[in-house]
Amino acid sequence: MTVPQEPDPRRTQQLPVDRDDQYIRPAHEEVVNERVEDSYASRVRTVRMVSSAITFVVGLFAVVLVAQIILVLAEANPRNGFASFVDGFSSGVSLGFDGLFTPASEKAAVLFNYGTAAIVWLLIGAALTYLIRKFALPGPRREIRYRRTVE
């Protein structure tokens, strides 16, 4: 095993210190502060926020419809505050599918009608986010345009 030795002072030299105050700016050089704005990044951020908002809203509608299905299948008390709120909300977002299917059982009718409405809401959300991303964002071959402002 070898013992580490001290570095040879003849081989090690102190590196010169690079200081900012040693730089002397030529008299003819103009100082310009430049800010570059990339509109692509802000467009992507906006499209993502809009898509997230759409996904949240249609997901909320689908969850309320599924909650109504669960409450009806479990025979929840319709006079309960939560159950009446979910019933009113789900009838508002059912897209007119309330009387589409008319089986003999009320539970089956709610399952089919509100289940179809929940699936349609999810399809609407997926279609909207796809179309927004497809048409609001440029494709892979895009020109990069910068807006430069001199301050």
Side-chain angles (χ1 to χ4, degrees), residues 95-127:
L95 296 173
F97 288 115
D98 284 338
L100 182 64
F101 300 106
T102 56
S105 171
E106 179 188 345
K107 291 180 181 181
V110 169
L111 176 66
F112 294 143
N113 294 329
Y114 286 165
T116 304
I119 291 171
V120 169
W121 270 118
L122 293 175
L123 290 175
I124 288 171

Side-chain angles (χ1 to χ4, degrees), residues 83-96:
S84 65
F85 171 75
V86 171
D87 183 39
F89 197 114
S90 62
S91 65
V93 296
S94 66
L95 296 173

Side-chain angles (χ1 to χ4, degrees), residues 6-118:
E6 295 291 324
D8 186 11
R10 290 176 294 165
R11 296 181 67 196
T12 59
Q13 299 175 359
Q14 185 174 358
L15 296 174
V17 177
D18 185 24
R19 297 184 184 167
D20 289 335
D21 58 352
Q22 291 178 348
Y23 176 72
I24 299 173
R25 184 170 291 144
H28 65 278
E29 183 179 336
E30 180 183 344
V31 177
V32 176
N33 293 331
E34 185 176 82
R35 181 178 49 162
V36 178
E37 296 177 7
D38 186 7
S39 64
Y40 179 75
S42 64
R43 179 182 272 186
V44 168
R45 190 175 327 114
T46 302
V47 167
R48 285 182 180 166
M49 292 294 289
V50 169
S51 296
S52 296
I54 290 171
T55 303
F56 175 76
V57 169
V58 299
L60 177 69
F61 291 170
V63 164
V64 167
L65 290 166
V66 169
Q68 175 62 18
I69 292 170
I70 291 171
L71 290 174
V72 169
L73 292 178
E75 298 178 359
N77 181 8
R79 288 185 275 176
N80 183 311
F82 178 73
S84 65
F85 171 75
V86 171
D87 183 39
F89 197 114
S90 62
S91 65
V93 296
S94 66
L95 296 173
F97 288 115
D98 284 338
L100 182 64
F101 300 106
T102 56
S105 171
E106 179 188 345
K107 291 180 181 181
V110 169
L111 176 66
F112 294 143
N113 294 329
Y114 286 165
T116 304

